[in-house]
Amino acid sequence: MKITDAKVIVTSPGRNFVTLKITTSDGVTGIGDATLNGRELAVASYLRDHVCPLLIGRDPARIEDTWQYLYRGAYWRRGPVTMTAIAAVDTALWDIKGKVAGLPVYQLLGGRSREGVTVYGHANGETIPEVLDEVARYVDLGYRAVRVQCGVPGLDATYGVGKDKMFYEPAETSRPSEATWSTERYLRVVPELFAAVRDRFGYDLHVLHDIHHRLTPIEAGRLGSTLEEYAPFWLEDPVPAELQEGFRLIRQHTKAPIAVGEVFNSIWDCEQLIREQLIDYIRATVVHAGGITHLRRIFDLAALHHVRTGSHGATDLSPVCMSAALHLDIAVPNFGIQEYMRHTEATDEVFPHGYHYADGYLHPSEEPGLGVDIDEKLAARYPYEPAYLPVNRLMDGSMHHW
Ligand code: GCO
Ligand code: MG
């Protein structure tokens, strides 16, 4: 069997998604998510102009060799664009392998380690009472874990607080909007939010929070120690993670569990964080970290060092990525939790999928392969729309991390 076609499909059913579809000489097809929020066309071009021509004629069964060919063989390694493109190829090849074997992909990864994949949803609101109402909505739906984000008084826009409920969509179809940031105001409101959530919902619910790279290590240590009495499940992305040794300082000051990794692309982005046990959850996911093959490598390293998984699952990762993530989540021994932001109806129609939510858990599809497809005719009705994530400035106008 040989690869006879590889094509890139860009569609925007409410938001942009890039999908790679590979076809074999036996007529088997596989798909992979290649979406990089706000930089979609860079990955589409990397695939179309540089990768797809190299795939034609290759044996689709050689997943590892193809991965190494695209990673080692390219000379220019790593980075979000390259690793997202490699991920798309890798994911599509796993889909094909599953279909050829007649097995869901998780069976090829060693089979089930659990009955369902625990997920967390996003409760957000401008004010704390609004957030509490959203948490109640998730509790009613059976969720065991909820991420809480509220507006910071005095700031016009805050990360994690959106107009939509059940999902959070920060990208805008315009030039990037500019938000302002005050660490002092933020540090005042978060403990109040946690206190209110624990007061109303008690301690059985897992409560998570995303700092979105805004703090310094010592500020994160201070916030973590303040929140310890409210038993946070995790604090996510406390600081930008280029400086991995910076996390030592956070560890010295708090016992709050730390999660990081949604912007990581390779095992080298988290090698020190994992080896020195500076984090508790690794949040890398299939689409941005080199596909199923490479993410499995990261998860296995993490397992050696008491680090559990907590993959990114935002609205800007397509149902193709979510399907792939769930096959890994159900199989790996050190699974922790999976983020689950729902997609819009239009997105779900373009990407029909067999995974489903029930009682706090997601369940991967039992179909051979990944159990997800793309309706190309429908996809063609939603042309690409230029979109950007916001940028962030301090009150004095300095650029800050968004
Ligand atoms: C999360 C993330 C998202 C990102 C988004 C960027 O924890 O889900 O932080 O909200 O901001 O995926 O594209
Ligand atoms: Mg995040």
Side-chain angles (χ1 to χ4, degrees), residues 60-366:
R62 297 196 179 195
I63 298 180
E64 181 67 45
D65 183 58
T66 302
W67 196 96
Q68 298 295 340
Y69 183 77
L70 295 174
Y71 180 86
R72 262 170 233 277
Y75 190 62
W76 310 109
R77 294 185 187 183
R78 301 165 61 185
V81 175
T82 302
M83 297 306 282
T84 301
I86 294 177
V89 176
D90 184 80
T91 309
L93 295 183
W94 277 101
D95 192 19
I96 290 172
K97 196 178 275 300
K99 288 179 183 171
V100 170
L103 292 169
V105 166
Y106 75 81
Q107 292 292 8
L108 305 177
L109 298 171
R112 262 174 202 279
S113 287
R114 55 196 52 79
E115 302 313 317
V117 171
T118 306
V119 294
Y120 70 89
H122 282 210
N124 69 77
E126 265 312 322
T127 63
I128 292 175
E130 270 180 53
V131 182
L132 297 183
D133 288 348
E134 287 304 307
V135 175
R137 184 130 74 115
Y138 282 100
V139 170
D140 287 348
L141 286 168
Y143 279 74
R144 289 140 214 273
V146 181
R147 170 187 122 154
V148 294
Q149 308 288 142
C150 71
V152 176
L155 300 187
D156 43 7
T158 311
Y159 164 77
V161 182
K163 50 187 184 323
D164 301 305
K165 303 299 175 194
M166 302 309 288
F167 58 86
Y168 171 63
E169 178 54 76
E172 291 153 330
T173 49
S174 60
R175 293 178 68 83
S177 65
E178 303 216 348
T180 40
W181 178 251
S182 159
T183 295
E184 297 71 23
R185 292 177 190 190
Y186 168 75
L187 289 178
R188 280 202 295 273
V189 77
V190 181
E192 289 171 24
L193 172 64
F194 266 81
V197 173
R198 287 306 187 201
D199 187 46
R200 173 141 162 213
F201 298 95
Y203 280 76
D204 281 344
L205 185 70
H206 295 316
V207 182
L208 299 77
H209 179 70
D210 190 350
I211 299 171
H212 222 258
H213 326 269
R214 303 289 164 95
L215 302 179
T216 64
I218 200 70
E219 289 163 352
R222 183 177 132 206
L223 178 64
S225 66
T226 311
L227 294 181
E228 275 172 31
E229 64 174 301
Y230 307 115
F233 181 89
W234 79 28
L235 297 182
E236 174 181 335
D237 288 336
V239 301
E242 287 97 331
L243 185 69
Q244 296 184 40
E245 67 184 38
F247 281 69
R248 287 192 198 131
L249 198 52
I250 305 176
R251 273 290 202 236
Q252 284 160 13
H253 293 279
T254 179
K255 295 193 284 292
I258 303 296
V260 73
E262 66 184 40
V263 301
F264 293 172
N265 316 123
S266 96
I267 202 163
W268 303 107
D269 293 332
C270 49
E271 190 269 340
Q272 184 184 10
L273 291 176
I274 291 174
R275 184 169 37 79
E276 291 190 26
Q277 300 178 32
L278 300 177
I279 59 173
D280 301 279
Y281 295 90
I282 179 70
R283 279 183 44 72
T285 194
V286 174
V287 58
H288 299 139
I292 292 175
T293 299
H294 194 63
L295 192 61
R296 177 75 200 235
R297 211 148 270 155
I298 295 174
F299 285 179
D300 283 344
L301 177 70
L304 296 180
H305 296 87
H306 304 287
V307 175
R308 292 195 284 161
T309 73
S311 285
H312 189 202
T315 316
D316 48 290
L317 318 182
S318 89
V320 184
C321 176
M322 180 55 87
S323 300
L326 292 173
H327 286 280
L328 266 171
D329 291 340
I330 205 87
V332 298
N334 54 327
F335 169 75
I337 201 164
Q338 169 70 52
E339 181 180 25
Y340 176 41
M341 267 201 246
R342 290 168 191 248
H343 289 109
T344 61
E345 241 172 71
T347 299
D348 284 341
E349 275 167 20
V350 169
F351 297 97
H353 52 263
Y355 63 79
H356 66 279
Y357 171 86
D359 204 18
Y361 300 101
L362 272 175
H363 299 274
S365 166
E366 291 297 332

